[in-house]
Amino acid sequence: CGRCKCAFCAYCLADCGDDAHRHVAECLLSSQPGEVYGLFSAFEEAQRQRRQRMVRAYLVTIQSPTVRKRVIAAVECNLTDL
C-alpha cells in the first residue's frame, strides 16, 4: 500500500516485495489473466474463493466426523457468505 510500501497480490495475497504488478497479471487465481487493475467485485470473489479453499483444506484435517460437524456448527455464522 502507499503508506507502508508493501506490495501484495489482491488475488492470492502473495507478498510481492515492492511491486506486485507483474505477479497480479500472471496470478493463477486471477479471474482476469493479464490484467493488473481489476474490479473490486473480482477481488471480493477471489477472496471468497480463497476462504472456501482454506476452510475445506482445514476441515479435511479433522479426522473425526463428529468433531468436524461440531466445528462447522461452531463457525457456521462465519461461513454464510462462502
Side-chain angles (χ1 to χ4, degrees):
C1 73
R3 190 179 329 165
C4 66
K5 306 298 183 210
C6 293
F8 64 92
C9 177
Y11 296 106
C12 69
L13 303 182
D15 181 348
C16 300
D18 61 357
D19 186 4
H21 294 95
R22 182 176 180 170
H23 173 87
V24 170
E26 298 173 355
C27 183
L28 298 176
L29 300 181
S30 171
S31 61
Q32 303 169 298
E35 295 293 325
V36 173
Y37 300 102
L39 300 173
F40 186 69
S41 59
F43 166 76
E44 290 179 311
E45 178 61 18
Q47 293 311 305
R48 186 183 70 76
Q49 290 176 9
R50 181 185 64 80
R51 292 191 330 264
Q52 282 179 340
R53 285 190 304 274
M54 292 177 71
V55 168
R56 286 186 187 120
Y58 173 71
L59 290 175
V60 300
T61 68
I62 302 172
Q63 302 281 325
S64 167
T66 303
V67 173
R68 189 178 313 116
K69 287 179 186 178
R70 287 183 183 166
V71 169
I72 292 169
V75 299
E76 190 170 21
C77 65
N78 297 305
L79 303 176
T80 57
D81 65 337
L82 298 181

